[in-house]
Structure formats: structure tokens, C-alpha cells
Amino acid sequence: MKKVLYLFVALLTLQLASCSKVVDPTDAGDASLSSARLAANGPGRKGLTIVDVATLPALVASYVSTTYPGATIKHAATDAAGDLVVLVRLADGSRKALVFDAKGAFKQELQPRPKDGKGGRLCKMDAVSLPSSVTDYITKSYAGAVVDFAVSDKAGDFLVLITQNGVKKGLIFDAAGNFKKELEKRK
């Protein structure tokens, strides 16, 4: 569950530079597989399934080390089509999202969405900026929990990542601050 929630936080981080722009996955602070959803032409990749980096075909590692000397493969997943989506941290600290076929042959580098104002946006916010109904609910329902991370979307809904007794949990609230659901662990 920790890996799923960590990945979820990392996915959100790509989209969070500010409310006034779309984040470029090549310069985001803590990038992750969310960059796969930032393909310039199309709706993005859905249904990503995390895979262990150690299980990637040798061609992937070879391509990355040859094309990007000093780079490290940070995350990997397969999409619904069976392609591998790989997030790479370059030696200069920037990130790239790459797509390979199932055998490891390079297909493309994913590009960030154009900065034309289209697409969903998430705005990072401080825990103190959350509505009192959200913080009250967390205090009552998740005793001892600490708010690690909070964002709001363009509809005004809130996603809050908390840690309770060492366990991370994602909570969703509507724009009025009413609890909607706790995010389930992906299977």
C-alpha cells in the first residue's frame, strides 16, 4: 500500500507547480509516471500497472545508459497496450518519460502537454488552507493523523494525503469539504 500511495503522490507532484501553468515533467521536482499522462497528442495513458525496474528488458537499460549517460531509471509501468512507460532521472536532475514496446525497443519520448490552458489542473495547498470541515473530519475520523499533502482540482474538490500510525492514506473531499471516500489500494 505504501508503494501505491507513494506513486500516487509522485504522480500528483508532476501536475502541481502552480495553478497557473501545466507542469513540465522534464523539470518537475519529484516526477513520476504521471508524465505518461502528459503526452502532447491524445488523452494520455490510462491503466498503468507498476512493474519492478529490475524486471525491465535489458534493451531498456541499454537504451537509457547509451542515450542518457549517468541516468537512472526511477519508475516503470506497463500500459493497457502492453508498452513499458519508464521514468528516467538524468544526470543533471531533470526527468524524461520514455515508452518502449514489451520487448524493450524504444518507441518514443513523451512530451508534456502544450501550455495552452487545456487539461485538468491540480493546485497544491497548505494544510492550513484546507476548509475546517476537512480538517475536522480528519481529526475526528483519523485520530493522530498528519496531513502530508493536499491539492484541489479545478472543480474545487480536495485530495488529501495523510499519515496515520505510519500508514499513508489518500482522502477525497468535495468542494464543500464533505468527505467522499478513502482511496483504495490498487490490486
Side-chain angles (χ1 to χ4, degrees):
M1 174 131 174
K2 279 186 177 182
K3 281 187 177 183
V4 172
L5 286 173
Y6 172 75
L7 182 60
F8 178 73
V9 170
L11 291 171
L12 289 175
T13 302
L14 276 178
Q15 299 178 16
L16 293 180
S18 75
C19 295
S20 61
K21 69 177 185 173
V22 174
V23 177
D24 179 343
T26 61
D27 65 11
D30 187 23
S32 72
L33 290 174
S34 180
S35 56
R37 304 192 79 194
L38 299 176
N41 300 317
R45 297 181 178 271
K46 297 190 184 221
L48 292 177
T49 302
I50 299 168
V51 297
D52 185 355
V53 171
T55 65
L56 292 172
L59 283 174
V60 173
S62 176
Y63 178 87
V64 170
S65 64
T66 302
T67 308
Y68 306 104
T72 305
I73 297 173
K74 300 303 286 180
H75 302 283
T78 57
D79 66 11
D83 290 333
L84 296 165
V85 181
V86 178
L87 182 76
V88 177
R89 179 181 291 179
L90 304 182
D92 67 2
S94 63
R95 282 113 168 121
K96 297 253 182 216
L98 309 173
V99 179
F100 298 84
D101 69 16
K103 293 181 181 179
F106 176 75
K107 290 178 80 172
Q108 71 179 31
E109 178 181 328
L110 295 176
Q111 300 299 318
R113 287 183 189 153
K115 296 181 181 183
D116 61 359
K118 294 181 180 175
R121 297 200 178 158
L122 298 174
C123 298
K124 184 175 181 179
M125 56 192 308
D126 293 324
V128 295
S129 300
L130 287 168
S132 60
S133 57
V134 171
T135 55
D136 289 347
Y137 180 86
I138 293 170
T139 301
K140 289 176 187 170
S141 302
Y142 297 92
V146 175
V147 175
D148 299 322
F149 192 80
V151 296
S152 64
D153 64 15
K154 64 183 179 179
D157 292 347
F158 301 97
L159 170 75
V160 182
L161 182 70
I162 63 169
T163 301
Q164 181 187 34
N165 301 322
V167 177
K168 297 206 178 283
K169 298 177 181 184
L171 309 175
I172 298 179
F173 297 85
D174 66 17
N178 298 311
F179 178 74
K180 290 171 77 173
K181 69 178 181 175
E182 181 176 325
L183 297 174
E184 297 290 326
K185 180 179 174 183
R186 260 182 142 170
K187 295 181 180 187

